[in-house]
Structure formats: C-alpha cells, structure tokens
Amino acid sequence: MTGSASTEQTVRNFTANVQDALVSMQQVSRDVSVLKTDVESEVGYTIDTINNLLRRISDLNDTVSRAASQGRATGGATDLRMTAVEELASLIKVTVREMPDGRLNIETAGGVALVDKRLRQLSYPVGDGVDQPVYPPIDIRFVEEDGSMGPLTGERLDGPAIGGKLGGLIDLRDRALPAFGEEVGTLFGGLAETLNAVANASTTVPAPNRLEGRQSGMALTDRLGFTGRAVFAVTQTNGNLVARTTVDFSTLGAGATIGDAIAAINAGLGGAATATWNNGQLSITAAAPGNGVVIAQDPAQPSSRAGVGFSQFFGLNDIITSPRGTLVPPGFIGTDAHGFTTGETVELLVRDPNGRVVARQTLSPATGGTFNDLTTALNGGPLSAFGSFALDARGRMQFTPNAAIPTASVSITSDSTSRFGTGRSFASLMGLSGDNSGLNLAEVKPDVLATAQRLPLARFNLAATVGQPAIGAGDNRGATAFVDELARPVDLGRNRIVAMERYASLVLGRAGMDAAQAQDQLVDATARREDAVNRRDNFSGVNIDEELSQLVVLQNSYSAAARVMSTATEMYDTLIAMVG
C-alpha cells in the first residue's frame, strides 16, 4: 500500500487482495489433493490395462509356439502379439526377448519377469478416492492355471523407474504434486509471518479494548525465552495515553516463565489493563470499556523469541489467522519440556528424491520428556539412516539429509499429540513440513476484512507521556511497513531464507518450468517412438515404396513374356500353314 495508504478504499483493496491470495493458495492446495486422487484412479485403470495386455501376450505366446512346432504359419498371431507389446511398452518400460520356441519373454526395466512360460499380474488394491499420505506398492503375483491370482513372487514395482505412463503417474502422485503442495504451504507460512509482523507492531485508532491471541501451544510454566523489550500501553478513544509499562524480558532472569512475563505486564499497567492466560492463549483487556490496548516494540532493543516480537509470538494483533496453524516458529530449545504425554504418537517417514518411502518411524513421546529426548529418539530410529534431526535457531525440528541422498525429505502421516492439552500437535509446532502450516483454514480476520478501520496502520508514540496523544488517526506508517516487510528475507526453515515476493515467484516459476519441461519431454518421447516404429516396420513390416517398385518390375516382366508368347504363337501358326 502506497500513496493515500490510509484511505478506506486502499485498505479495503489491500485486505481483499490478501484474502484473495489465501483463497487462491487454498484452491491450489485442494487442486493438488484432487489431482492426486485423480492420478491414483488412473494408476488403477492403467494397471488393469497392463494386466489385460499381459494375459493377451501370454495367450498369443501359446498360439505362436504351437503353430511353430507344427510347421504352420504364425504371421497373424505374431502381428497381434506385436500390437499388444507396443501398447504395453507405452504403459510400462519393458524388455522383450524372443525365445527359440517363438515365445516372447517380457521383463520390466528392473529385470522383473512378467511373462515367460508362466504369466504374472500386477496386484494393486483399488483406492477409495481419498488423498493418502502413502500409497501401497505394486506387487507381482503368479497366475494360476485357472486364471486366478496366485501367490506373490516377492517382487514389487515402485517409483518412476517403472517407466511409461504408469511410471509417470506414480512420479506425479508421489513426488511432483506433494512437493508442490509443500511449497505452497511454506509460502503461506512465510506470508502469514510477514504480514502479521507488521500488524503486531502497529495498532488501530482507536485501539481495540481487547487483544486476544491465537492458540500458541505454550504453558504458563514454559521458559519465557524472550530478549529485548516491549511496551504495553492503554489509550483513550482519542488516542491519549492512560498508562504504559516497558517490560525488559532480559531482566526477568534466565529461569523466567511465560507466567512471570504476564505478571510483569499486569504489575506495570497497574490495573488499567489485565493480561490473562487460558490454556495456551494470551489476552490483554483494558479495564475501562472505552479504552484500548496497544503493544509496541522498543526500537533499540525489540522483544524477540525465534525472531518475532512478543505480540506476534502470541498472535495478539494478527490479521491472518488459522485455527490449525501456529504461524510463528516456536523458539524451543533442547531442554524445554515437549509437553506431550505417553500414548501419543507421531508417524514420520522419509522419501527419496523420487518420492518413494525408504524409511518409517513411530515417535512415542514419554510424559515429562524434553525436546532433546525427541531428537535423540529420531536420531536413533530408522529415519537416521537417511539424515539427522536437530532444533534449528528458531526452535523448529529440522531434518538434514545425508550426502548420499541430499534431496530426501521428511513428512508426517499421522499425529495424535497435543502439547499440554492445548490441541497444538508436534506437526503443527515443529515446522517439519509445509503441509502442516494451517493453510486450509486460514483467513484474514473477518472484522479486518469487513471494516477498513480494523487494519492496524498506526504506530505508538514512544515519547508520549500519560495524558498526551500516543496514537493518531492520520498515522499510516504501518501501511508502508507492509510493503517493506514483503521485500525482507524470511527464514522459512530447511535452509530457505528469502523474501516473500521472491519466493512466490520461485514457486510459481518452478511449476511453470516443470510443466514446460514435461511438454518438451512428451514431444521428444513421441518423436523417438515414431522413429522406433518406423525402424521396426522397415525391418519386419511391409515397405510400400519397395513393394510398389517390385510390382512394376513384375508387371513389365509379365508384359515382355506375353509378347514372346504372342510372337511364338504367330510363328507356329505360320509354320503349320506352310506345311499344310
């Protein structure tokens, strides 16, 4: 927002644009989910088609083998079999070997036998049309004499190495679509943090009577973890200052808790406003109905935990909300209590660069444990073969892949944890995946969207004393701050520090580039296929030009022979006439 930034129309346009951006990201997220279910359905159809082709090839193998052993022509059956093999090769990458008895042996690119003297079939459970975090592998089964499915061969097909249409579908389902969805979720998290940072450093005029925070997942007994200073003030409807206090969190002591910070706020405001805590949510309410509450950062030493200010950490003046998203890094350290109880579990898995699941682990926190305990459990489990876990500088759990598979990734398939009973889970707090950012239920606060005056644009006057104006209606410094903040780099985790404008361009640009590359690959593959078909036809099929030239030669030879026979007949008739 620039220019006449505080006008109602400008503010309405800004908040509407933010809401539109959220709705667009939510639609993209839903589209990714729908595409995954559509692709899964197509996987099932493709496997059915492959199985039908394998049966046909096996039956034609028997026909060709019997005809060859009896010295009969095999051309018709051979042509039908080749047509089936060609269609099969478009669905899955195969190796074809012709055997001495005329049969064709079919193997996958990985050497798994599908057809020899015994037929195999792909075995895959039909999905229920619901997006799943993990899909089952494709097993191989023998086929019994009566045509029914027999025992498992012990071999499986998995990943894009399957090739053909089936491999492409699996790559899209397991790698491309989840990766894009992850990026969209991360983009939302960064956008929410960026815009909420400005909102929490600003205030409306008049200030709201009550600031109600989001569910933070914290407890009163949690380590405070803040440095720097924040200003808490109460103002009248006209903006004049009623009371203020500056809380220097650094002086509260190394063992200070969130409860200690609340006590310091209440003591400093002397009853003009009261900070209360309700199972993870902080609220501050002015005592007089007409008064409002303002929170500001000290410019010299701003309050900070995990890189965000006090007001933003608890979501006291957010404009973007989500009932499922924490929206800020948690700022945990290893010795902090994890707050989960025995019996709660988190299911995690590691995927390789192709999207294949290579390891799974169930994390089972024990009551009274710390984040160090969780880190130790993760680094001692099956996932540790592919990377290591540690808390980063902003208190998020981060996974660093081993050098052998630098693009391996972690995802969470299920999570029953609830930190101190607040409803905030391990997945929503720890930032391991953009899927848990809370995008699907995010929105601009309804009151902000409906009323332009509810967007925080004014900044608190730190020089004001009691009775003097501390906030003014013409102050729109927060408006330019929204623009500036979008250009400021944000630490999104997983070694990504980038401005939101840049990151949005990267996400959308990468999607467009991937689509263009896929189209180019399709064109190249189609050209190679047509060339291969032409080479095959030239070797084993009918060359129309060559056959036409041979036909002309034969036609000319026939005409010459006819003339010789006509001449011979005439000579014979003449001879008979002379003798007779």
Side-chain angles (χ1 to χ4, degrees):
M1 295 187 296
T2 57
S4 54
S6 61
T7 65
E8 181 172 350
Q9 185 60 43
T10 303
V11 171
R12 284 185 179 277
N13 288 340
F14 173 72
T15 55
N17 287 339
V18 174
Q19 180 65 19
D20 287 346
L22 297 180
V23 170
S24 296
M25 285 188 282
Q26 289 165 349
Q27 185 59 55
V28 169
S29 180
R30 287 192 294 269
D31 288 346
V32 167
S33 180
V34 170
L35 279 172
K36 286 177 68 178
T37 59
D38 290 346
V39 169
E40 172 66 1
S41 297
E42 191 64 27
V43 166
Y45 298 147
T46 302
I47 288 174
D48 288 342
T49 303
I50 290 172
N51 284 338
N52 290 334
L53 289 169
L54 291 175
R55 285 184 179 273
R56 183 164 177 75
I57 293 169
S58 180
D59 292 341
L60 289 169
N61 266 351
D62 293 338
T63 302
V64 171
S65 179
R66 284 195 302 269
S69 66
Q70 296 169 6
R72 294 187 287 110
T74 63
T78 300
D79 289 344
L80 291 173
R81 186 177 62 179
M82 184 55 66
T83 300
V85 169
E86 183 177 334
E87 185 177 355
L88 176 67
S90 70
L91 302 179
I92 183 173
K93 188 175 182 180
V94 293
T95 300
V96 182
R97 294 186 177 88
E98 187 170 1
M99 308 308 291
D101 61 356
R103 292 176 175 274
L104 293 182
N105 281 6
I106 309 291
E107 296 178 352
T108 68
V112 178
L114 298 176
V115 177
D116 45 28
K117 289 188 177 181
R118 189 172 184 184
L119 172 65
R120 284 90 165 166
Q121 295 273 265
L122 310 187
S123 176
Y124 186 76
V126 178
D128 55 5
V130 177
D131 182 11
Q132 302 177 43
V134 182
Y135 293 90
I138 302 171
D139 290 312
I140 310 296
R141 288 183 179 273
F142 288 112
V143 176
E144 302 292 3
E145 292 294 334
D146 62 1
S148 62
M149 285 285 198
L152 294 169
T153 66
E155 296 168 310
R156 290 178 167 178
L157 301 182
D158 195 14
I162 294 172
K165 177 182 178 181
L166 181 59
L169 289 171
I170 291 176
D171 180 58
L172 184 63
R173 183 197 68 188
D174 293 348
R175 182 195 63 80
L177 288 174
F180 182 61
E182 163 81 15
E183 294 289 358
V184 172
T186 301
L187 175 62
F188 160 71
L191 179 65
E193 180 180 339
T194 298
L195 296 182
N196 284 339
V198 179
N200 280 279
S202 307
T203 182
T204 59
V205 180
N209 177 258
R210 176 181 172 87
L211 294 178
E212 186 170 353
R214 81 176 87 84
Q215 175 53 258
S216 65
M218 299 293 165
L220 280 175
T221 55
D222 269 324
R223 176 185 58 87
L224 178 59
F226 276 93
T227 59
R229 299 181 297 211
V231 177
F232 300 84
V234 177
T235 60
Q236 294 176 328
T237 304
N238 61 5
N240 289 346
L241 186 64
V242 174
R244 64 175 288 177
T245 184
T246 299
V247 178
D248 187 342
F249 298 107
S250 301
T251 64
L252 295 181
T257 65
I258 291 175
D260 294 332
I262 293 174
I265 295 169
N266 287 335
L269 291 177
T274 303
T276 57
W277 184 262
N278 181 23
N279 191 34
Q281 289 183 274
L282 174 63
S283 299
I284 305 178
T285 307
N291 291 344
V293 179
V294 180
I295 302 176
Q297 290 277 65
D298 184 296
Q301 291 181 294
S303 64
S304 176
R305 171 171 170 154
V308 299
F310 185 89
S311 179
Q312 183 183 3
F313 187 84
F314 293 104
L316 290 167
N317 210 18
D318 284 351
I319 61 169
I320 295 179
T321 64
S322 173
R324 292 185 180 176
T326 307
L327 305 185
V328 293
F332 293 130
I333 62 174
T335 55
D336 286 339
H338 58 59
F340 308 123
T341 59
T342 302
E344 297 176 343
T345 59
V346 185
E347 301 290 335
L348 304 97
L349 54 83
V350 171
R351 296 181 186 273
D352 69 8
N354 293 322
R356 293 180 299 182
V357 177
V358 293
R360 301 170 185 261
Q361 183 170 345
T362 299
L363 182 65
S364 302
T367 302
T370 66
F371 285 103
N372 277 338
D373 297 330
L374 298 184
T375 304
T376 299
L378 289 170
N379 286 328
L383 304 188
S384 63
F386 301 92
S388 60
F389 291 85
L391 293 179
D392 70 5
R394 305 188 80 188
R396 299 167 296 201
M397 187 69 74
Q398 296 290 282
F399 173 74
T400 304
N402 293 337
I405 48 171
T407 56
S409 61
V410 169
S411 58
I412 298 174
T413 60
S414 65
D415 189 346
S416 65
T417 59
S418 175
R419 188 168 194 266
F420 292 122
T422 61
R424 282 287 180 259
S425 64
F426 175 92
S428 66
L429 286 167
M430 303 310 296
L432 267 172
S433 171
D435 289 337
N436 306 113
S437 62
L439 168 61
N440 289 341
L441 295 178
E443 63 177 355
V444 175
K445 276 186 175 179
D447 61 334
V448 174
L449 198 60
T451 307
Q453 289 74 21
R454 295 296 180 90
L455 181 68
L457 293 177
R459 293 295 173 92
F460 182 75
N461 179 11
L462 294 169
T465 58
V466 173
Q468 292 182 333
I471 55 176
D475 185 1
N476 62 1
R477 285 175 290 173
T480 56
F482 279 115
V483 178
D484 295 339
E485 195 73 8
L486 287 171
R488 185 182 66 83
V490 178
D491 182 357
L492 302 174
R494 299 183 290 284
N495 298 318
R496 288 174 292 188
I497 301 177
V498 61
M500 283 300 95
E501 292 177 335
R502 173 64 176 161
Y503 189 61
S505 298
L506 289 174
V507 171
L508 298 178
R510 188 179 298 114
M513 183 178 66
D514 288 346
Q517 287 179 344
Q519 183 63 39
D520 291 342
Q521 290 171 355
L522 174 61
V523 172
D524 293 343
T526 300
R528 288 195 298 270
R529 177 184 178 277
E530 291 175 352
D531 181 63
V533 170
N534 290 334
R535 289 174 179 271
R536 182 203 65 190
D537 290 345
N538 287 336
F539 176 77
S540 61
V542 176
N543 188 311
I544 300 300
D545 294 336
E546 182 180 346
E547 295 302 322
L548 180 59
S549 66
Q550 291 293 336
L551 182 60
V552 171
V553 171
L554 291 174
Q555 186 177 13
N556 291 337
S557 298
Y558 177 81
S559 297
R563 286 196 298 271
V564 170
M565 290 301 297
S566 178
T567 301
T569 300
E570 290 176 0
M571 290 175 63
Y572 183 71
D573 290 342
T574 300
L575 180 61
I576 291 176
M578 291 174 63
V579 173

